Amino acid sequence: MLGGVLKKVLLVLLVVVVIQHWGKIERLFNPSQVVSEQVRASARVVLYSTEWCGYCKQIRRFLDQKGVPYQAFDIEKDAQARKAYEALGGGGIPFVEVNGTLIRDYNPDAIMAALK
């Protein structure tokens, strides 16, 4: 009885972990989607977001899939990040700074263009 419950709990935990790290897992199986090493090495990407924002999660997943390193700041939990976000003009989330280019919404094409 207890073994069956434990197996179900472990299965649920495994599913949650897979969902949270899907971008990294997918990158292992589809390396052609990864940006070049040169682009990755020179990328300066900062994501201003919140924990609850669905588009912010999509950007994280997109960046993970492409293998682009980034810094993520939660503007609700980090006062310094909130100040930086406001200094850049804020105006909604997700808010991404890619190599000096400001992108104010979920726009993978704009992110890839700014990386090049």
Side-chain angles (χ1 to χ4, degrees):
M1 171 91 175
L2 184 59
V5 171
L6 184 58
K7 286 180 184 177
K8 288 179 183 177
V9 168
L10 289 174
L11 181 61
V12 168
L13 287 174
L14 177 64
V15 168
V16 168
V17 168
V18 167
I19 289 170
Q20 287 178 336
H21 298 284
W22 183 250
K24 293 173 185 168
I25 293 168
E26 188 175 38
R27 189 173 64 219
L28 290 174
F29 295 104
N30 195 0
S32 66
Q33 296 295 319
V34 178
V35 297
S36 74
E37 186 66 38
Q38 182 180 8
V39 169
R40 201 173 329 138
S42 65
R44 292 181 326 277
V45 180
V46 180
L47 169 63
Y48 297 95
S49 63
T50 62
E51 190 174 306
W52 52 265
C53 170
Y55 287 114
C56 301
K57 290 176 187 171
Q58 286 182 327
I59 285 186
R60 282 189 212 95
R61 189 175 309 122
F62 172 77
L63 293 170
D64 288 342
Q65 287 172 344
K66 297 297 183 186
V68 176
Y70 63 95
Q71 291 182 294
F73 296 102
D74 188 320
I75 61 171
E76 290 182 330
K77 295 179 180 177
D78 184 337
Q80 294 282 58
R82 180 69 180 206
K83 286 180 184 178
Y85 162 81
E86 290 172 352
L88 291 170
I93 52 172
F95 186 84
V96 188
E97 182 178 7
V98 182
N99 295 333
T101 300
L102 302 177
I103 301 166
R104 298 181 188 279
D105 55 359
Y106 176 70
N107 190 336
D109 292 335
I111 291 171
M112 291 306 291
L115 283 170
K116 293 180 179 169

